[in-house]
Amino acid sequence: MHLLLILGIVFAIGAVSFALQNDIPVTVVLAFWRYDSSLAVVLLLALALGVLIAGLVSTPTVIKGQWTRARLRREVVGLEDDKAILGRSLLALEMQLAQGTPAPVPAPEVAATYVGLKTLLMANDRS
């Protein structure tokens, strides 16, 4: 960023020195508009207009980049909070494991064996 600023300043100094050496009167005509001035003023106005247009064109990209950086920072903070919570949970589980008292594990349910209708009817006949 600083390098671009330095290059911009060098370019501006070069443009001003070029404009000051070329102070010939000129006339700029655009449709019905007519402007009489020195070549230096016309060149400086053209340079200023170019800088203004470049700034306006690059503004949406800069704003989008700032929004993206802000969103990513918020996401990083959220992920760091999640990491801290998981770290505390892991520490609590390790302490519980070190104490030798694991959390009670529920016993698996024993599935009842399927008794068919025929078996039920035949068992009632024998009684």
Side-chain angles (χ1 to χ4, degrees), residues 35-111:
Y35 180 70
D36 294 321
S37 182
S38 70
L39 182 60
V41 173
V42 171
L43 290 175
L44 289 176
L45 287 176
L47 179 66
L49 184 62
V51 168
L52 179 67
I53 290 172
L56 290 175
V57 167
S58 67
T59 299
T61 304
V62 170
I63 291 173
K64 183 179 178 182
Q66 289 175 347
W67 286 349
T68 302
R69 281 190 295 276
R71 179 182 52 84
L72 290 175
R73 279 190 204 109
R74 285 192 304 270
E75 189 174 333
V76 165
V77 168
L79 290 173
E80 287 175 348
D81 291 344
D82 291 346
K83 179 184 172 190
I85 291 169
L86 290 174
R88 288 192 295 270
S89 297
L90 179 63
L91 184 62
L93 289 172
E94 287 175 346
M95 289 176 55
Q96 188 178 16
L97 184 63
Q99 291 175 353
T101 55
V105 178
E109 295 181 19
V110 178

